[in-house]
Amino acid sequence: MRDILDLDRYPLDRPASPEWQVLVDRCRAELARDGMFSLDGLMKPEVAQAAADALKGKFETESFHHKRAHNIYFKDRVEGLAPDHPALRKVETSNFTLCADQFPGSPVLRLYDWPPFAEFLAATMEKPALYTMDDPLARLNIMSYGAEQALNWHFDRSEFTTTMLLQAPEAGGEFIYSPELRSDGDPNYAGVERLLRGEDPNMRSITLAPGTLNIFRGKNSPHRVGTVKGGKTRVIAVFTFYERPGVRFTDAENIGFYGRAS
């Protein structure tokens, strides 16, 4: 993996070594403090850019255009909220998606299937273990955002989200979030309303560089990607891990996410 990763700065290939443990401890501390951590340049920037370049034609001819109006919960109804409650205000998301079966041999897929990667992530998240998906579509997605496209406000279904930026746009495309806006015991609908009005005092924005791994606690921290500007797309890989092996999406889920079941 040394041909694609900077394993001198980030010793993922040496589990349980003192250097590996120092990195894990740092990532845990940042997760506790900020709700996220990033490893800038884990994938060599030139490798990340080459991976994005290799997919340009596929994005133009084979990708699924995901465009929908949705609320922050991705639900038609939320118990305890009136249908016209401001926390249910709809926003629009638009991007193009490629699935894992469309880029065999990609360095991003090599990283996903490399066992020390899942072992490292599990350690940072303080999980006993993490497992790759068996689903040939959902296991790893690469998404492209062109001019005027964005991933809008939402909460994630899973506790953590794992991404790697492959190509940065000319402008826009910032990762914007509000750490721990809600909790499992408090949905904080008033706080969600303030966020959607642009009045959340805890809102943060970061700009990632190509090759950066980003781990984010997205279940209780709403987040979005800023609208992309200019002619250069924002290309990002989204890795999916579970705490049990053998997970696959249903055909209906895959059709909803990707426009196809297989």
Side-chain angles (χ1 to χ4, degrees):
M1 297 296 287
R2 284 189 172 273
D3 58 330
I4 68 171
L5 302 181
D6 186 346
L7 296 176
D8 293 324
R9 289 174 66 195
Y10 306 113
L12 273 62
D13 58 336
R14 288 172 274 158
S17 69
E19 297 82 6
W20 182 89
Q21 192 61 55
V22 166
L23 179 60
V24 167
D25 290 344
R26 188 196 98 189
C27 295
R28 286 179 177 177
E30 291 178 9
L31 267 179
R33 185 187 69 228
D34 302 323
M36 73 159 55
F37 73 83
S38 296
L39 300 185
D40 178 54
L42 171 64
M43 180 171 282
K44 296 176 180 180
E46 65 274 17
V47 175
Q49 185 62 61
D53 291 343
L55 296 177
K56 184 177 179 181
K58 286 184 177 287
F59 273 118
E60 294 172 351
T61 60
E62 300 179 22
S63 63
F64 177 65
H65 184 194
H66 183 82
K67 183 176 182 180
R68 65 183 289 190
H70 60 88
N71 59 45
I72 198 169
Y73 306 103
F74 283 117
K75 294 179 179 179
D76 293 332
R77 300 182 186 84
V78 174
E79 186 176 352
L81 288 185
D84 60 350
H85 192 282
L88 295 179
R89 179 172 68 84
K90 289 199 172 182
V91 294
E92 184 176 275
T93 280
S94 177
N95 59 37
F96 292 92
T97 300
L98 292 172
C99 299
D101 64 343
Q102 294 174 290
F103 43 86
S106 169
V108 188
L109 195 55
R110 284 178 57 195
L111 174 59
Y112 179 73
D113 286 326
W114 185 48
F117 185 46
E119 183 177 0
F120 170 75
L121 294 176
T124 64
M125 300 173 192
E126 301 186 67
K127 306 288 186 184
L130 289 175
Y131 300 90
T132 57
M133 288 186 77
D134 283 357
D135 195 302
L137 274 64
R139 59 201 316 259
L140 172 59
N141 295 160
I142 298 180
M143 299 177 181
S144 173
Y145 298 84
E148 303 306 318
Q149 289 188 306
L151 172 63
N152 228 308
W153 286 116
H154 64 286
F155 290 102
D156 289 336
R157 295 192 298 176
S158 58
E159 183 180 2
F160 293 98
T161 300
T162 303
T163 68
M164 177 171 283
L165 189 70
L166 302 182
Q167 177 174 282
E170 294 168 6
E174 309 91 343
F175 185 78
I176 307 165
Y177 72 108
S178 179
E180 304 298 329
L181 180 66
R182 69 177 183 181
S183 67
D184 293 343
D186 179 11
N188 191 11
Y189 296 132
V192 171
E193 181 181 347
R194 285 192 299 272
L195 175 85
L196 295 175
R197 291 201 307 262
E199 299 172 359
D200 184 342
N202 296 316
M203 193 183 301
R204 304 180 188 180
S205 176
I206 62 171
T207 299
L208 302 173
T212 298
L213 177 75
N214 181 257
I215 311 300
F216 176 69
R217 195 188 303 272
K219 182 180 178 183
N220 290 328
S221 300
H223 50 286
R224 64 163 298 177
V225 172
T227 303
V228 168
K229 303 293 182 181
K232 191 176 180 183
T233 58
R234 181 184 195 264
V235 182
I236 192 163
V238 181
F239 306 90
T240 303
F241 294 92
Y242 281 84
E243 293 180 60
R244 65 186 190 281
V247 175
R248 299 177 69 101
F249 282 169
T250 65
D251 285 352
E253 286 175 316
N254 275 332
I255 290 171
F257 286 124
Y258 313 120
R260 59 191 175 102
S262 61

